[in-house]
Every structure is written in structure tokens, then in C-alpha cells.
């Protein structure tokens, strides 16, 4: 079973933010498609921020990525 490819405005926002906060993600294309390059960048971000490095932008990852603290 294959996982469907995610796409859209939320993915573009994640890609934009990753380019802002990850020095090695400058080449990440902001195309709105959550493919292997975006997933790898998310894993790198998660590792650097003590999050589970699964490549998925779950609630915890979103909260830290977009600094949605109290």
C-alpha cells in the first residue's frame, strides 16, 4: 500500500519555513508537494529539535517549526 502524496498550501508553508530555519534546506523547492526531499528536510529539523525523526509534520513538529508556544 502506498501513502498518497500530500500537496497544497500547508506543504508550501512547511517548505518555506524549513528554508528559513535550516541552513542546509536552501535548495528545497517550494512546490507544495510533500515528497522525499521535503520529508528528509523535516527529519533533519526534527533531529535538531529533539523531536521524533519520522519525517511527518505532526502537531508537535508543527508547533515547534512555527513557534506556536504560549
Amino acid at each position: 500500500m502506498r501513502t498518497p502524496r500530500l500537496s497544497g498550501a500547508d506543504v508550501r508553508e512547511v517548505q518555506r519555513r524549513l528554508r528559513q530555519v535550516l541552513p542546509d534546506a536552501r535548495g528545497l523547492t517550494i512546490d507544495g508537494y510533500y515528497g522525499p526531499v521535503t520529508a528528509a528536510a523535516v527529519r533533519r529539523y526534527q533531529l535538531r529539535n529533539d523531536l521524533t525523526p519520522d519525517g511527518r509534520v505532526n502537531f508537535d513538529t508543527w508547533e515547534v517549526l512555527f513557534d506556536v508556544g504560549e
Side-chain angles (χ1 to χ4, degrees):
M1 178 182 229
R2 293 181 61 182
T3 302
R5 249 185 144 181
L6 300 174
S7 63
D10 287 343
V11 175
R12 280 191 296 279
E13 285 303 310
V14 167
Q15 291 168 330
R16 277 189 197 99
R17 185 68 180 142
L18 287 169
R19 284 186 58 173
Q20 291 173 345
V21 299
L22 278 179
D24 59 348
R26 299 280 186 248
L28 178 65
T29 302
I30 299 172
D31 58 7
Y33 291 99
Y34 199 97
V37 174
T38 300
V42 169
R43 278 191 296 278
R44 287 193 309 276
Y45 179 80
Q46 289 169 325
L47 282 167
R48 293 175 188 179
N49 288 279
D50 296 320
L51 298 162
T52 302
D54 59 8
R56 297 177 182 189
V57 182
N58 59 21
F59 179 80
D60 292 336
T61 298
W62 183 277
E63 192 171 60
V64 173
L65 183 60
F66 290 97
D67 196 27
V68 184
E70 293 182 38

